[in-house]
Amino acid sequence: MNTTINEYNNNFISHIIDHDLKKQKKMFFHTRFPPEPNGYLHIGHAKSICLNFELAKIYQGKCNLRFDDTNPIKENIKYINAIKYDITWLGYQKYQNIHYASEYFEIFYQYAKKLIKKGLAYVDELTKEEIHKYRGTLKKPGINSPYRNRSIEENITLFKKMKNGEFAEGKASLRAKINMNSACIIMRDPVLYRIIFCQHHQTKKKWCIYPMYDFAHCISDAIEKITHSLCTLEFQDNKNLYNWILKNINTPHRPKQYEFSRLNLEYSILSKRKLKILVEKKIVSGWDDPRMPTLSGMRRRGYTPSSIKEFCKNIGITKQNNLIELSMLEYSIRNELNKTAIRTMAILDPIKIYLYNLNENHEEVLIIPKHPYNDKLGTQKIFFTKILYIERNDFQEKYNNQYKKLKIGCEIRLRYAYIIKAEKIKKDKNENIIYIICSCNLKTLGKKPIDKKNPSVIHWISVKYSFPAQFRLYEPLFNIKSLDKKEDFLLNLNSQSLVTKKGFIEKNIAKKIHKKIIQNNIKLFFQFERIGYFCTDIDTLQRNYLIFNRTVSLRDTWNEKNKKIINN
Ligand code: ATP
Ligand code: MG
């Protein structure tokens, strides 16, 4: 066993496992991750994936990936492929055995018959709405269905008829016969099977009756010899049914269910059903829109498997439901990219400066580091010429004393280059700035500005050596923190969640990036100095300019901005 203490081997679940393994020395530890293939995986699923697969690693066991494919109406093979891809991307391929609940449809059917034969299940002909009404509430006991006391023989015959397609959809269901007065509503004769006439992606047209999640899940766990079946807290009540079914069908193996709190993340929706609405209503460009909390969206945004795993580890495993700060997620990728991303300059909102005291053909090559603290990343070449682009908001025509960037009559330092002084502004007849006329002090390469009061450094790009780029800046999709229980979440959309900017990056660097993207279809990561961490976007392949997604800002600006809004 792994001896280093971390979040995965020092939480309430690992303590239960340690205890179980002490008691049963021969136990082969086995978990599973059971997604329903009705959408793409999101960061909440990643919490569960990491927990299940990391525990399998620590306890030298296994974790199955099991598709809970019991509702063909909502499922699709494209979701199955996307889920497999995401889990492999996270790096858990090695620990995964792939199963489908649909592999066990025949076994489920036999176990259902076993329950009928024990007088513990019956075919009901109430409608879905009637079943719901008869179930009662927490304050009101349920009412027995008029079909509850059918004989075992009659139930066997009717269940066969259900299986043979002799009932129309919705006209019959199989229910467990437990207790309509149970304090636990789930135990009030839950439905075990329903009729669905729909082709299944795995079993095709073989079945028209499909088991409910609660029936299929516990039996699948038992068949696969899962030892610890880990799920989120909302399944706490379902545990009664889980244990009731396994006890009454008497499986040789008895898995145990344990619950932990689900991930809720600020400004985010973590529900496949709701995320699907965003896709269908075209509020986002797809499941992989970089604003989506899906693993495919986060991958496109620039999150790496290691940053997601680090986040999942840091949030910990407990039974307390809480709302995790978005800044914690952002920290995980910022911290990583700070060490690994190549630094370079980009201009998102350009304005020109004209260095009047340089020759028309002035051209200088500057060799600059790709990372100030990581020499191993090497150096890069940039060109310094007479006309440069700087960021529009790095110059102000009218300013107050606090303004520390470029202003008329003041000096500023150009990153990796010279000190310049703004002298005049050249405007067109509409009063738009064409360029800022500056002088350049060629004796100042690598020196500090003379004006100690204004030590600012700004970034720049040679106009002659610029290459067009689009920068996609993201903010959260929603403008309220807690969306967990909100059904009207579409009322809280953040209109600024995507802002695109047209700007430039250095031509030689751009060419290299372009070549790498086209030849190897890889994603490249950058810190654009003073702006943020960015990665290349797949859309670049179809354009003659580069497209970058802002993964995360340099600092926690979203939180700072919101604090300001709240304080004002
Ligand atoms: P969704 O509402 O997103 O569809 P779900 O629970 O219905 O979620 P499943 O595909 O059934 O989705 O989930 C597979 C596993 O992932 C389950 O064990 C579930 O408990 C876990 N899971 C889902 N959402 C979260 C979350 N937010 N935090 C932690 N685990 C989660
Ligand atoms: Mg589910």
Side-chain angles (χ1 to χ4, degrees), residues 32-38 40-49 52 68 83 213 217 230-235 260-264 270-275:
R32 87 288 166 271
F33 173 67
E36 206 179 329
N38 60 354
Y40 283 60
L41 297 181
H42 51 64
I43 183 75
H45 293 114
K47 174 177 178 176
S48 176
I49 293 170
N52 280 294
D68 167 32
I83 291 171
Y213 166 83
H217 184 237
L230 311 177
C231 62
T232 37
L233 283 174
E234 62 275 19
F235 290 100
F260 61 96
S261 63
R262 61 185 285 119
L263 169 66
N264 296 312
L270 298 183
S271 147
K272 282 181 271 165
R273 180 176 63 79
K274 292 180 187 168
L275 292 172

XYZ file of all heavy atoms in Angstrom, residues 32-38 40-49 52 68 83 213 217 230-235 260-264 270-275, ligand 1:
361
model
N -16.220 1.225 -8.657
C -16.710 1.428 -10.023
C -17.115 2.884 -10.185
O -17.461 3.549 -9.220
C -17.876 0.479 -10.356
C -19.233 0.976 -9.966
C -19.445 0.938 -8.465
N -20.596 1.701 -8.067
C -20.606 2.998 -7.751
N -19.499 3.697 -7.765
N -21.716 3.579 -7.421
N -17.080 3.347 -11.425
C -17.636 4.662 -11.741
C -18.766 4.415 -12.739
O -18.518 3.910 -13.825
C -16.553 5.581 -12.328
C -17.116 6.871 -12.824
C -17.661 7.790 -11.928
C -17.144 7.172 -14.182
C -18.224 8.968 -12.383
C -17.708 8.351 -14.643
C -18.250 9.248 -13.744
N -20.031 4.737 -12.337
C -21.170 4.314 -13.164
C -21.933 5.440 -13.875
O -23.059 5.757 -13.496
C -22.072 3.670 -12.104
C -21.838 4.540 -10.881
C -20.476 5.152 -10.995
N -21.366 6.074 -14.885
C -22.091 7.170 -15.535
C -23.244 6.690 -16.412
O -23.181 5.609 -16.985
C -21.021 7.825 -16.411
C -20.107 6.709 -16.755
C -20.062 5.825 -15.547
N -24.249 7.535 -16.481
C -25.343 7.281 -17.399
C -24.928 7.945 -18.719
O -24.593 9.135 -18.702
C -26.569 7.985 -16.825
C -27.864 7.401 -17.216
C -29.016 8.172 -16.557
O -28.860 8.700 -15.439
O -30.060 8.247 -17.209
N -24.892 7.216 -19.836
C -24.396 7.859 -21.072
C -25.443 8.763 -21.714
O -25.893 8.533 -22.829
C -24.029 6.671 -21.974
C -24.851 5.541 -21.484
C -25.179 5.776 -20.043
N -25.850 9.791 -20.971
C -26.866 10.722 -21.465
C -26.337 12.145 -21.551
O -27.080 13.112 -21.544
C -28.125 10.660 -20.585
C -27.834 11.027 -19.145
O -26.676 11.225 -18.775
N -28.855 11.134 -18.324
N -22.238 14.594 -21.474
C -20.779 14.584 -21.300
C -20.430 14.715 -19.812
O -21.186 15.283 -19.043
C -20.158 15.756 -22.065
C -20.076 15.532 -23.556
C -21.222 15.314 -24.311
C -18.857 15.537 -24.212
C -21.151 15.107 -25.677
C -18.773 15.334 -25.590
C -19.929 15.119 -26.310
O -19.852 14.916 -27.657
N -19.262 14.203 -19.473
C -18.825 14.289 -18.070
C -18.448 15.718 -17.713
O -17.917 16.460 -18.535
C -17.612 13.397 -17.840
C -17.817 11.892 -18.038
C -16.512 11.152 -17.742
C -18.944 11.363 -17.158
N -18.720 16.092 -16.449
C -18.342 17.421 -15.982
C -17.387 17.310 -14.792
O -17.051 16.200 -14.351
C -19.587 18.263 -15.661
C -20.581 17.587 -14.747
N -20.280 17.254 -13.457
C -21.862 17.193 -14.973
C -21.340 16.688 -12.894
N -22.313 16.624 -13.793
N -17.001 18.442 -14.264
C -15.988 18.472 -13.200
C -16.490 17.761 -11.929
O -15.688 17.226 -11.163
C -15.497 19.925 -12.931
C -14.385 20.001 -11.885
C -16.635 20.860 -12.579
C -13.047 19.556 -12.364
N -17.816 17.721 -11.740
C -18.377 16.961 -10.616
C -18.090 15.479 -10.782
O -17.686 14.790 -9.828
N -18.260 14.989 -12.001
C -17.932 13.585 -12.253
C -16.449 13.331 -11.999
O -16.075 12.268 -11.511
C -18.270 13.198 -13.700
C -19.742 13.197 -14.005
N -20.307 14.073 -14.883
C -20.752 12.446 -13.518
C -21.608 13.847 -14.943
N -21.912 12.871 -14.115
N -15.621 14.330 -12.342
C -14.173 14.154 -12.148
C -13.855 13.888 -10.678
O -12.969 13.093 -10.351
C -13.419 15.379 -12.640
N -14.610 14.531 -9.780
C -14.384 14.287 -8.343
C -14.603 12.800 -8.036
O -13.804 12.163 -7.351
C -15.346 15.159 -7.516
C -15.274 14.870 -6.030
C -16.169 15.782 -5.202
C -16.082 15.400 -3.731
N -16.846 16.274 -2.856
N -15.689 12.267 -8.576
C -16.018 10.866 -8.321
C -15.039 9.922 -9.034
O -14.601 8.913 -8.467
C -17.458 10.636 -8.799
O -17.810 9.308 -8.668
N -14.656 10.286 -10.257
C -13.697 9.466 -11.016
C -12.375 9.383 -10.262
O -11.832 8.301 -10.040
C -13.459 10.076 -12.427
C -14.738 9.976 -13.262
C -12.293 9.411 -13.139
C -14.682 10.764 -14.569
N -12.655 7.199 -7.053
C -12.752 5.761 -7.316
C -11.463 5.172 -7.885
O -11.011 4.118 -7.451
C -13.923 5.481 -8.271
C -15.252 5.472 -7.543
O -15.505 4.604 -6.717
N -16.077 6.466 -7.809
N -24.215 2.978 -17.041
C -25.521 2.676 -16.483
C -26.545 2.950 -17.601
O -27.206 3.976 -17.624
C -25.696 3.598 -15.261
C -27.116 3.623 -14.757
O -27.790 2.592 -14.888
O -27.553 4.679 -14.267
N -17.256 9.776 -22.976
C -16.935 9.432 -21.582
C -15.645 8.601 -21.523
O -14.751 8.869 -20.715
C -18.128 8.696 -20.912
C -19.300 9.680 -20.726
C -17.716 8.056 -19.584
C -20.619 9.048 -20.280
N -32.875 2.327 -12.408
C -31.512 2.505 -11.897
C -31.296 1.721 -10.594
O -30.320 0.980 -10.453
C -31.250 4.002 -11.677
C -30.017 4.271 -10.856
C -28.764 4.293 -11.452
C -30.119 4.483 -9.478
C -27.630 4.503 -10.704
C -28.986 4.695 -8.718
C -27.742 4.703 -9.329
O -26.623 4.905 -8.573
N -28.509 -1.097 -10.554
C -27.241 -0.644 -10.001
C -26.676 -1.600 -8.943
O -25.521 -2.027 -9.013
C -27.427 0.766 -9.424
C -26.159 1.343 -8.914
N -26.022 1.777 -7.628
C -24.985 1.529 -9.515
C -24.784 2.212 -7.467
N -24.142 2.083 -8.599
N -19.288 3.659 -4.146
C -19.252 5.038 -3.641
C -20.156 5.931 -4.477
O -20.071 5.938 -5.702
C -17.814 5.569 -3.694
C -16.766 4.632 -3.088
C -15.369 5.213 -3.267
C -17.065 4.383 -1.609
N -21.018 6.652 -3.809
C -21.911 7.548 -4.555
C -22.139 8.826 -3.762
O -21.659 8.969 -2.640
C -23.220 6.850 -4.873
S -24.100 6.397 -3.413
N -22.883 9.739 -4.343
C -23.087 11.037 -3.700
C -24.266 10.983 -2.721
O -25.102 10.083 -2.788
C -23.240 12.139 -4.766
O -23.971 11.610 -5.865
C -21.888 12.590 -5.270
N -24.281 11.976 -1.820
C -25.195 11.933 -0.670
C -26.677 11.785 -1.011
O -27.444 11.232 -0.227
C -25.032 13.217 0.166
C -23.809 13.289 1.067
C -23.714 14.673 1.692
C -23.891 12.225 2.150
N -27.079 12.265 -2.194
C -28.512 12.197 -2.507
C -29.003 10.746 -2.657
O -30.197 10.502 -2.749
C -28.866 13.069 -3.712
C -28.238 12.741 -5.032
C -26.858 13.355 -5.233
O -26.199 13.749 -4.255
O -26.412 13.396 -6.395
N -28.053 9.794 -2.685
C -28.452 8.391 -2.790
C -28.553 7.700 -1.420
O -28.704 6.483 -1.350
C -27.465 7.623 -3.684
C -27.581 8.012 -5.132
C -26.686 8.901 -5.708
C -28.597 7.506 -5.923
C -26.801 9.287 -7.037
C -28.724 7.870 -7.254
C -27.822 8.766 -7.805
N -20.631 10.254 -0.248
C -19.810 11.448 0.015
C -20.514 12.645 -0.629
O -21.427 12.466 -1.449
C -18.389 11.270 -0.541
C -18.343 11.071 -2.032
C -18.118 12.143 -2.889
C -18.538 9.816 -2.586
C -18.090 11.969 -4.266
C -18.519 9.638 -3.965
C -18.292 10.704 -4.799
N -20.089 13.848 -0.272
C -20.805 15.027 -0.784
C -20.422 15.299 -2.236
O -19.270 15.134 -2.634
C -20.508 16.245 0.077
O -19.148 16.544 -0.006
N -21.428 15.724 -3.012
C -21.159 16.023 -4.406
C -20.432 17.355 -4.519
O -20.440 18.162 -3.591
C -22.452 16.044 -5.220
C -23.464 17.085 -4.767
C -24.763 16.976 -5.538
N -24.648 17.500 -6.877
C -24.831 16.784 -7.981
N -25.132 15.507 -7.918
N -24.731 17.333 -9.166
N -19.797 17.567 -5.637
C -19.135 18.845 -5.868
C -20.158 19.866 -6.351
O -20.888 19.615 -7.313
C -18.042 18.684 -6.927
C -17.455 19.994 -7.462
C -16.692 20.744 -6.380
C -16.543 19.750 -8.641
N -20.215 20.987 -5.667
C -20.945 22.148 -6.161
C -19.906 23.246 -6.337
O -19.098 23.486 -5.436
C -22.000 22.621 -5.154
C -23.057 21.562 -4.950
O -23.584 21.011 -5.901
N -23.346 21.261 -3.696
N -23.694 21.866 -12.456
C -23.123 20.532 -12.607
C -24.257 19.520 -12.696
O -24.547 18.802 -11.739
C -22.156 20.203 -11.464
C -20.936 21.125 -11.354
C -20.009 20.675 -10.243
C -20.174 21.187 -12.661
N -24.916 19.514 -13.799
C -25.976 18.551 -14.068
C -26.038 18.379 -15.578
O -26.148 19.373 -16.306
C -27.305 19.081 -13.536
O -28.366 18.645 -14.352
N -25.913 17.127 -16.014
C -25.909 16.879 -17.460
C -27.192 17.396 -18.097
O -27.176 17.943 -19.189
C -25.767 15.388 -17.729
C -24.350 14.892 -17.566
C -24.279 13.406 -17.868
C -24.545 12.612 -16.634
N -24.830 11.228 -16.781
N -28.298 17.187 -17.385
C -29.602 17.601 -17.936
C -29.618 19.112 -18.210
O -30.034 19.563 -19.274
C -30.705 17.226 -16.931
C -32.109 17.602 -17.369
C -33.131 17.109 -16.352
N -32.989 17.730 -15.027
C -33.420 18.948 -14.706
N -34.026 19.687 -15.608
N -33.255 19.436 -13.479
N -29.128 19.890 -17.252
C -29.140 21.340 -17.432
C -28.086 21.792 -18.441
O -28.325 22.722 -19.213
C -28.935 22.040 -16.086
C -30.120 21.855 -15.145
C -29.869 22.552 -13.834
C -30.949 22.237 -12.829
N -30.568 22.671 -11.474
N -26.952 21.128 -18.436
C -25.908 21.501 -19.401
C -26.392 21.237 -20.831
O -26.088 21.986 -21.754
C -24.611 20.731 -19.120
C -23.904 21.108 -17.807
C -22.747 20.162 -17.529
C -23.384 22.551 -17.856
P -25.872 14.561 -13.646
O -26.939 15.251 -12.869
O -24.772 15.440 -14.016
O -26.390 13.755 -14.778
P -25.727 12.131 -12.307
O -25.421 11.771 -10.927
O -27.108 11.860 -12.752
O -25.280 13.586 -12.569
P -24.325 9.991 -13.473
O -23.853 9.832 -14.852
O -25.384 9.090 -12.982
O -24.779 11.476 -13.362
O -23.098 10.041 -12.469
C -22.087 9.099 -12.395
C -21.402 9.213 -11.062
O -20.874 10.522 -10.892
C -22.353 8.966 -9.912
O -21.738 8.062 -9.023
C -22.542 10.303 -9.293
O -22.758 10.222 -7.922
C -21.230 11.031 -9.635
N -21.444 12.473 -9.707
C -22.312 13.135 -10.497
N -22.287 14.450 -10.232
C -21.374 14.643 -9.255
C -20.889 15.782 -8.534
N -21.339 17.000 -8.766
N -19.946 15.589 -7.587
C -19.468 14.356 -7.332
N -19.883 13.247 -7.962
C -20.823 13.367 -8.916
